[in-house]
């Protein structure tokens, strides 16, 4: 029997209601519309069979399949709801408050048993960020970050802490998806000149200096985002600073790190400098896509060796979304961009469609892997609120515009478990639709009347890069770093210019062909002819080699001395000095 299409849940000033998914888009009778503006939050269970919402008075839960009210909890201020993976527990969070005399407030994080509606446990959870406990998919373990350490509970027994993971000051953690063995990634921010680090552990092996499966340390990290792949074999870490000290970026600085559970780790080398806007794993767990670089941004798919597999070139984009089956990738430019989307077949790396969803503040793939939801919601934007359902070939199948005196706050798909919807063959032909697409066409550059009948010259503000296949690096030699590549190109250009000048000055002399490429060894052995300069270059290279060794020691978990950390901080200045000296060659 084919599964029913996912429902759409809509929350706004017009109330809370559900809409049948494609192809009908009629209001669903599963959930009778709740009018009014008091609904602050709703949540589906992971399999989409249970639904909970807070109406400003109570938190109610219903069964989508049986259409019946299950439980009602007296939680008028609840603003966060989440079900445990197997629908055993409902977690609720209300803002933490203290009394006027300064005494501690009441517990504001409640865990309810969904079988009988009783409260299993209450905790004080002051911050809304990372408020919800994390369960393994089988609910055997559950974890919370308490006072900079991670507390583990087993089999939903919250009266006894079964295990603790204690490090210096754990700022954040992420449990791995999937079945046993359970793994956990923890982030400890750096302090007093020491680097920040992310470590991977396997539950419950936390004790001892060699308990960690992998470790990656790095500087320049005020916060991190940790992303497990679906098979729980590797984690991507986006390390961010709030301020870019060089002044190059409004977004601060970001670096992307790869950490595998087998102990391997690497810095993902991104060919274009600038912010990292988004990173997404494919559901296959063998590839990931990064969107990065100053606008127009680049997007690249990497393999597990962190080698580029396919480069999508440059474009106005800041987000990447793989379909549930992993066979389609949407690159999009939302927020302060105009909403252009590129829909790619990632098995053949062919462009399927280029729809435009202007002013979108939300994007989501339907669990069926065929349909896309885009929406413009308040408070991000308070005008032109509404949502659209698209087919990935670019056709708008359904559109709902909210009246000008109303607002749309939230819209989302009903979730389904993986494997419910089979993957279908990709089509490139736009599916038929009766809904007109009123999206404005991408505007062309203004041309003065005097130039309109003349040929267009290819003068562009930004140099555009086309998509291209990228061959993974082969062989035992490590790929050159960005600085080395930059130096190599400059040396090649300098030598070519010198050779050309030489040929121009002595046309009678037999010409020797200029080398087409300079090997890594040639770059390192180049001399200036000035013994003093050569000596300085050799000394700088020795210092940089020592810094590289120190960084490797820090990455392996060794605690460095203050003077060693100061040496590492001088690396950038030394590289610049080396580059300046070598350019004089």
């Amino acid at each position: 029997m084919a599964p029913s299409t996912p429902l759409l849940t809509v929350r706004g000033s017009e109330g809370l209601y559900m809409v049948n998914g494609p192809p009908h888009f009629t209001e669903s009778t599963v959930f009778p519309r709740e009018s009014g503006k008091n609904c602050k939050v709703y949540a589906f269970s992971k399999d989409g069979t249970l639904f909970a919402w807070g109406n400003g008075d109570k938190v109610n839960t219903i069964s989508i399949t049986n259409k019946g009210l299950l439980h009602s909890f007296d939680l008028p201020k609840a603003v966060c709801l989440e079900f445990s993976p197997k629908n055993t527990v409902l977690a609720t969070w209300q803002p933490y408050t203290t009394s006027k005399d300064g005494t501690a407030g009441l517990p504001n994080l409640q865990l309810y048993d969904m079988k009988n509606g009783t409260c299993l446990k209450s905790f004080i959870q002051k911050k809304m960020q990372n408020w919800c406990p994390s369960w393994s998919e089988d609910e055997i373990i559950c974890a919370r970050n308490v006072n900079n350490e991670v507390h583990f509970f087993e089999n939903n027994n919250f009266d006894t802490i079964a295990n603790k993971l204690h490090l210096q000051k754990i700022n954040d953690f992420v449990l791995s998806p999937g079945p046993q063995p359970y793994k956990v990634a923890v982030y400890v921010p750096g302090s007093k000149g020491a680097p920040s680090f992310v470590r991977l552990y396997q539950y419950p092996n936390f004790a001892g200096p060699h308990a960690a499966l992998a470790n990656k340390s790095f500087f320049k990290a005020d916060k991190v985002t940790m992303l497990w792949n679906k098979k729980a074999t590797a984690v991507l870490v986006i390390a961010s600073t709030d301020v870019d000290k060089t002044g190059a970026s409004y977004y601060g600085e970001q670096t992307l790190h790869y950490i595998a559970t087998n102990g391997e780790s690497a810095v993902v080398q991104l060919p274009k400098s600038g912010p990292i806007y988004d990173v997404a794993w494919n559901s296959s767990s063998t590839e990931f896509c990064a969107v990065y670089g100053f606008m127009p941004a680049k997007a690249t798919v990497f393999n597990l060796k962190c080698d580029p597999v396919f480069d999508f070139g440059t474009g106005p984009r800041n987000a990447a979304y793989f379909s549930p089956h992993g066979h389609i990738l949407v690159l999009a430019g939302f927020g302060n961009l105009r909403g252009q989307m590129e829909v790619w077949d990632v098995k053949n790396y062919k462009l399927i469609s280029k729809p435009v969803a202007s002013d979108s503040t939300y994007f989501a793939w339907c669990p069926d892997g065929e349909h896309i939801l885009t929406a413009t919601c308040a408070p991000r934007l308070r005008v032109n609120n509404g949502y659209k359902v698209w087919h990935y070939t670019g056709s708008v199948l359904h559109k709902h515009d909210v009246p000008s005196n109303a607002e749309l706050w939230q819209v989302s798909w009903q979730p389904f478990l993986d494997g419910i919807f089979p993957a279908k063959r990709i089509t490139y032909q736009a599916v038929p639709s009766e809904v007109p697409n009123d999206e404005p066409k991408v505007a062309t550059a203004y041309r003065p009347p005097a130039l309109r009948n003349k040929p267009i010259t290819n003068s562009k503000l930004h140099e555009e890069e086309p998509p291209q296949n990228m061959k993974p690096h082969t062989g035992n030699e490590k790929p050159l770093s960005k600085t080395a590549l930059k130096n190599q190109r400059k040396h090649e250009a300098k030598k070519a210019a010198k050779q050309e000048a030489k040929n121009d000055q002595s046309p009678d002399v037999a010409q020797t062909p200029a080398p087409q490429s300079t090997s890594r060894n040639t770059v390192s052995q180049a001399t200036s002819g000035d013994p003093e300069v050569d000596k300085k270059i050799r000394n700088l290279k020795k210092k940089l080699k020592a810094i590289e060794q120190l960084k490797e020691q820090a990455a392996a978990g060794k605690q460095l001395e203050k003077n060693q950390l100061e040496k590492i901080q001088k690396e950038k200045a030394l590289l610049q000095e080396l580059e300046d000296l070598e350019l004089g060659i």
Side-chain angles (χ1 to χ4, degrees):
M1 183 179 172
S4 58
T5 56
L7 297 165
L8 275 168
T9 307
V10 183
R11 182 176 71 90
S13 57
E14 296 179 304
L16 176 69
Y17 60 97
M18 291 186 187
V19 175
N20 291 309
H24 304 296
F25 302 109
T26 53
E27 189 161 337
S28 174
T29 57
V30 167
F31 179 82
R33 180 188 284 252
E34 183 152 315
S35 301
K37 302 180 180 181
N38 295 325
C39 179
K40 295 179 181 177
V41 60
Y42 69 78
F44 273 103
S45 60
K46 301 290 185 293
D47 61 2
T49 59
L50 302 183
F51 182 72
W53 76 100
N55 58 16
D57 182 26
K58 295 181 181 297
V59 169
N60 299 313
T61 58
I62 63 166
S63 167
I64 295 295
T65 48
N66 300 329
K67 303 182 183 180
L69 183 68
L70 297 176
H71 303 292
S72 187
F73 306 108
D74 187 19
L75 297 165
K77 296 181 180 178
V79 291
C80 295
L81 304 172
E82 191 164 325
F83 286 96
S84 62
K86 298 188 78 174
N87 305 345
T88 311
V89 178
L90 174 67
T92 69
W93 185 85
Q94 302 177 95
Y96 179 74
T97 55
T98 54
S99 58
K100 290 182 179 178
D101 59 2
T103 55
L106 298 172
N108 59 322
L109 168 59
Q110 273 81 26
L111 304 177
Y112 290 97
D113 188 332
M114 283 305 296
K115 285 184 180 177
N116 52 33
T118 58
C119 185
L120 291 169
K121 189 72 175 178
S122 293
F123 297 102
I124 288 178
Q125 173 67 34
K126 294 182 179 179
K127 292 183 180 179
M128 187 176 180
Q129 184 182 9
N130 299 328
W131 70 272
C132 189
S134 295
W135 279 271
S136 60
E137 286 187 5
D138 56 11
E139 294 191 15
I140 297 295
I141 65 169
C142 179
R144 287 185 70 225
N145 191 351
V146 183
N147 297 329
N148 297 313
E149 59 184 22
V150 184
H151 292 181
F152 291 86
F153 305 92
E154 294 184 352
N155 300 308
N156 287 324
N157 176 12
F158 297 100
D159 293 323
T160 305
I161 299 172
N163 219 314
K164 286 184 181 181
L165 174 51
H166 178 74
L167 290 170
Q168 297 141 341
K169 280 189 176 181
I170 296 175
N171 182 276
D172 195 9
F173 78 97
V174 184
L175 276 185
S176 65
Q180 297 188 40
Y182 315 116
K183 304 178 189 80
V184 59
V186 295
Y187 163 60
V188 175
S191 59
K192 297 179 181 177
S196 306
F197 62 83
V198 169
R199 282 184 190 159
L200 310 186
Y201 291 92
Q202 182 170 306
Y203 183 85
N205 306 322
F206 301 142
H210 304 293
L213 299 173
N215 179 80
K216 185 80 174 78
S217 60
F218 39 82
F219 292 94
K220 295 184 179 180
D222 296 326
K223 59 185 176 183
V224 303
T225 302
M226 296 178 283
L227 305 167
W228 280 100
N229 63 4
K230 200 172 179 180
K231 292 182 180 176
T233 57
V235 177
L236 289 171
V237 179
I238 307 169
S240 309
T241 59
D242 295 328
V243 177
D244 183 351
K245 292 181 181 177
T246 65
S249 174
Y250 168 81
Y251 297 96
E253 289 182 86
Q254 292 89 29
T255 49
L256 181 60
H257 304 268
Y258 169 88
I259 313 172
T261 53
N262 63 4
E264 293 179 358
S265 64
V267 179
V268 182
Q269 297 292 340
L270 302 175
K272 187 173 186 179
S273 60
I276 298 173
Y277 304 103
D278 198 10
V279 177
W281 278 105
N282 194 324
S283 57
S284 66
S285 297
T286 59
E287 293 180 340
F288 60 91
C289 180
V291 184
Y292 58 93
F294 295 112
M295 287 294 165
K298 282 179 77 72
T300 308
V301 170
F302 296 87
N303 60 19
L304 294 183
K305 292 181 180 179
C306 300
D307 292 323
V309 175
F310 189 85
D311 190 319
F312 295 95
T314 55
R317 77 243 323 188
N318 54 16
Y321 308 94
F322 279 102
S323 66
H325 303 102
H327 60 329
I328 300 174
L329 171 67
V330 174
L331 300 174
F334 295 137
N336 56 356
L337 299 176
R338 60 178 59 173
Q340 289 175 252
M341 296 187 284
E342 300 168 41
V343 184
W344 287 83
D345 171 355
V346 290
K347 287 188 177 177
N348 300 307
Y349 288 110
K350 289 184 180 179
L351 185 65
I352 301 170
S353 62
K354 289 187 74 172
V356 178
S358 300
D359 301 328
S360 294
T361 61
Y362 178 76
F363 175 102
W365 271 102
C366 180
D368 67 7
E370 275 199 279
H371 298 94
I372 290 166
L373 173 67
T374 61
T376 304
C377 301
R380 179 71 174 82
L381 281 175
R382 297 192 183 274
V383 294
N384 299 329
N385 281 189
Y387 66 87
K388 289 180 180 177
V389 177
W390 309 70
H391 190 266
Y392 66 78
T393 53
S395 304
V396 178
L397 303 181
H398 177 65
K399 178 185 175 187
H400 175 72
D401 292 324
V402 173
S404 57
N405 60 345
E407 290 181 345
L408 176 66
W409 300 329
Q410 189 180 3
V411 58
S412 62
W413 294 106
Q414 174 192 11
F416 277 72
L417 295 176
D418 292 339
I420 299 293
F421 292 95
K424 293 184 180 179
R425 187 178 176 183
I426 292 176
T427 177
Y428 289 81
Q429 187 68 37
V431 300
S433 172
E434 297 176 0
V435 181
N437 188 356
D438 55 359
E439 287 289 348
K441 291 184 178 179
V442 179
T444 55
Y446 170 77
R447 302 197 79 211
L451 297 177
R452 284 174 192 171
N453 296 322
K454 294 183 179 180
I456 298 173
T457 55
N458 289 326
S459 57
K460 292 183 177 179
L461 185 63
H462 301 285
E463 186 179 337
E464 293 181 0
E465 295 180 28
Q468 58 176 321
N469 261 310
M470 308 287 286
K471 290 183 180 179
H473 184 77
T474 55
N476 297 324
E477 188 187 355
K478 291 184 179 179
L480 295 178
S481 67
K482 284 199 288 186
T483 308
L485 281 169
K486 187 179 175 184
N487 286 340
Q488 181 175 312
R489 290 193 197 101
K490 286 182 178 178
H491 283 305
E492 287 173 7
K494 191 91 173 175
K495 282 198 171 187
K498 273 193 174 184
Q499 187 66 40
E500 196 174 329
K502 203 174 182 181
N503 294 340
D504 290 343
Q505 288 169 5
S506 51
D508 298 328
V509 179
Q511 295 182 3
T512 55
Q516 293 299 311
S517 61
T518 309
S519 69
R520 197 178 185 182
N521 294 332
T522 312
V523 173
S524 61
Q525 291 170 6
T527 57
S528 65
D530 185 340
E532 281 299 314
V533 173
D534 291 342
K535 187 177 178 182
K536 284 181 182 178
I537 289 174
R538 286 195 297 273
N539 287 336
L540 284 170
K541 286 184 176 179
K542 280 182 186 176
K543 288 179 183 178
L544 287 167
K545 189 175 180 182
I547 288 171
E548 198 63 39
Q549 289 172 347
L550 289 175
K551 286 167 75 176
E552 287 174 4
Q553 290 172 13
K558 183 181 177 182
Q559 190 75 24
L560 298 182
E561 301 293 331
K562 187 179 178 183
N563 64 327
Q564 292 174 319
L565 293 169
E566 286 172 355
K567 280 184 182 178
I568 291 174
Q569 289 168 354
K570 292 177 183 177
E571 182 183 25
K572 194 172 180 181
L574 293 174
L575 281 168
Q576 186 61 52
E577 190 179 346
L578 177 63
E579 188 175 337
D580 292 343
L581 285 170
E582 288 186 327
L583 287 178
I585 295 171

